[in-house]
Amino acid sequence: YNLTNNMLPKTAVKAIILNEDNKILLLQRNPQIRDTDNWDLPGGLVEQDEDPEQALRREVREETNLVIHLKSKATTWKFVRKLDNKTIQVQNYICTTNNSNIILSEEHVQFKWIDLKDIKDYKVKDSSLYQSLLNSK
C-alpha cells in the first residue's frame, strides 16, 4: 500500500461465521505483528477494484483457510485506523462454513468459537463492534 498517495483502502469487510452450534468465530491478533492482542472477526480491507464479497472470501481464506458461504449482509461499524487516523467503515456479513479445519495465518495466534452473548468478555479493536454483533441476530 502506498501511504504517500493516501491510497490505503477505507472500507473493510468482516465475517460473522456461524458454526453448527450457532457460535461465532473470533481470532486473536498476533501482538508481534499487530502491536495488540485484541480479538477480531476474520476479514480485512477491500482492495481497489475488488468486490466486497470477493474481498471477504479472500481474507477469510488467508486468515483461517476456511471456505465460507455468505448468507446476508449484517450490521456495520467503524474504527479509526491508527496508521493514518482515517475512519474505516466495516460491513459485517453473516456466513457459514462446512469446514472446521482452521489453519491460522501468522496474523493471529489463536481462535475461539464463542456464543454471541459473550462477545463483551473479549477485548476488541473498537466498542462499535460489540453493538454491531449484538444487533446482528
Side-chain angles (χ1 to χ4, degrees):
Y1 295 119
N2 184 344
L3 282 180
T4 55
N5 290 347
N6 206 10
M7 295 297 289
L8 276 177
K10 294 183 190 70
T11 57
V13 287
K14 294 287 181 173
I16 302 171
I17 303 173
L18 297 167
N19 70 7
E20 59 279 354
D21 298 324
N22 235 13
K23 292 180 186 279
I24 66 167
L25 180 64
L26 282 187
L27 306 178
Q28 187 176 29
R29 293 172 178 270
N30 182 340
Q32 294 173 329
I33 291 179
R34 291 294 185 140
D35 197 36
T36 179
D37 65 350
N38 63 4
W39 292 81
D40 200 1
L41 297 169
L45 293 169
V46 178
E47 294 175 1
Q48 192 173 359
D49 301 328
E50 191 175 35
D51 171 83
E53 294 182 5
Q54 279 179 316
L56 187 63
R57 285 187 178 93
R58 175 184 54 75
E59 284 283 350
V60 170
R61 181 97 184 173
E62 288 172 3
E63 293 178 357
T64 67
N65 199 46
L66 294 177
V67 174
I68 54 170
H69 309 285
L70 278 61
K71 296 298 182 192
S72 62
K73 277 187 179 180
T75 48
T76 59
W77 56 288
K78 57 188 165 204
F79 67 94
V80 176
R81 181 170 48 209
K82 287 184 181 138
L83 184 67
D84 58 5
N85 277 335
K86 295 280 189 244
T87 298
I88 308 302
Q89 298 289 334
V90 185
Q91 174 67 60
N92 291 339
Y93 288 83
I94 305 281
C95 305
T96 59
T97 184
N98 42 16
N99 179 0
S100 57
N101 187 20
I102 294 173
I103 302 170
L104 291 178
S105 72
E106 63 186 20
E107 288 179 63
H108 299 95
V109 291
Q110 69 171 314
F111 68 90
K112 284 189 181 175
W113 291 98
I114 68 157
D115 282 316
L116 190 54
K117 65 179 174 37
D118 296 332
I119 185 63
K120 293 241 180 182
D121 297 341
Y122 294 85
K123 180 176 78 172
V124 296
K125 155 185 348 205
D126 190 279
S127 62
S128 65
L129 174 58
Y130 293 130
Q131 264 333 107
S132 77
L133 282 174
L134 294 170
N135 293 336
S136 287
K137 292 193 172 198

